[in-house]
């Protein structure tokens, strides 16, 4: 059984930083691309970032480019999202997800097979 468990969320002031972690079990982590998505109240789930399993190439939503960094540690079965210069509009529940074959469709949440339960990030102004 596959489990993805996020941690590291919390309350932070605008301009601050947080690092989210997502630890996976029940799958061969190194063979899965990993993504982060977020969902604000009343809004759809949006793509944030992805890191491919093949070459660890990374992709970001325009809204977070230059502020967020996704990385992975295959030895720890963990993917990270370092979030800097946080803004109130970054407030959301953040989810990690595992996808096998993404191609150019990496922003599409339906391409990810496994999901974590989410962690709340709140940025105060």
């Amino acid at each position: 059984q596959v489990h993805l468990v996020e941690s590291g969320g919390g309350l932070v002031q605008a301009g601050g930083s947080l690092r989210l972690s997502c630890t996976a079990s029940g799958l061969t982590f190194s063979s899965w691309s990993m993504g982060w998505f977020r969902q604000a109240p009343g809004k759809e789930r949006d793509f944030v970032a992805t890191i491919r399993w093949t070459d660890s190439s990374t992709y970001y939503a325009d809204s977070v480019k230059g502020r967020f960094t996704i990385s992975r540690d295959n030895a720890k079965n963990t993917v990270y999202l370092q979030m800097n210069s946080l803004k109130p509009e970054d407030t959301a529940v953040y989810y990690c997800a595992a996808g096998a074959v993404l191609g150019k469709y990496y922003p599409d949440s339906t391409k990810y097979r496994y999901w974590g339960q989410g962690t709340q990030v709140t940025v105060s102004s």
Side-chain angles (χ1 to χ4, degrees):
Q1 192 171 4
V2 176
H3 291 285
L4 302 180
V5 180
E6 301 99 335
S7 61
L11 173 64
V12 64
Q13 288 188 331
S17 298
L18 282 175
R19 188 176 82 155
L20 305 183
S21 300
C22 171
T23 300
S25 60
L27 53 70
T28 304
F29 182 78
S30 60
S31 297
W32 290 79
S33 294
M34 299 299 296
W36 286 96
F37 289 76
R38 66 186 181 186
Q39 188 167 19
K43 296 188 177 181
E44 295 184 350
R45 189 171 297 188
D46 291 331
F47 167 74
V48 176
T50 282
I51 183 165
R52 293 192 190 276
W53 71 271
T54 49
D55 58 0
S56 291
S57 53
T58 57
Y59 303 87
Y60 297 92
D62 288 343
S63 59
V64 307
K65 204 170 292 183
R67 299 188 298 122
F68 291 11
T69 302
I70 188 171
S71 61
R72 65 190 298 158
D73 185 338
N74 289 338
K76 295 182 178 180
N77 285 5
T78 299
V79 61
Y80 304 97
L81 186 67
Q82 177 67 44
M83 305 186 295
N84 299 328
S85 302
L86 283 161
K87 305 175 181 179
E89 51 264 43
D90 294 319
T91 296
V93 177
Y94 283 71
Y95 299 89
C96 72
V101 181
L102 300 179
K104 62 180 179 179
Y105 301 106
Y106 56 86
D108 184 350
S109 63
T110 66
K111 301 301 181 183
Y112 293 78
R113 183 171 181 179
Y114 300 110
W115 291 82
Q117 82 289 349
T119 185
Q120 176 70 47
V121 171
T122 303
V123 184
S124 63
S125 58

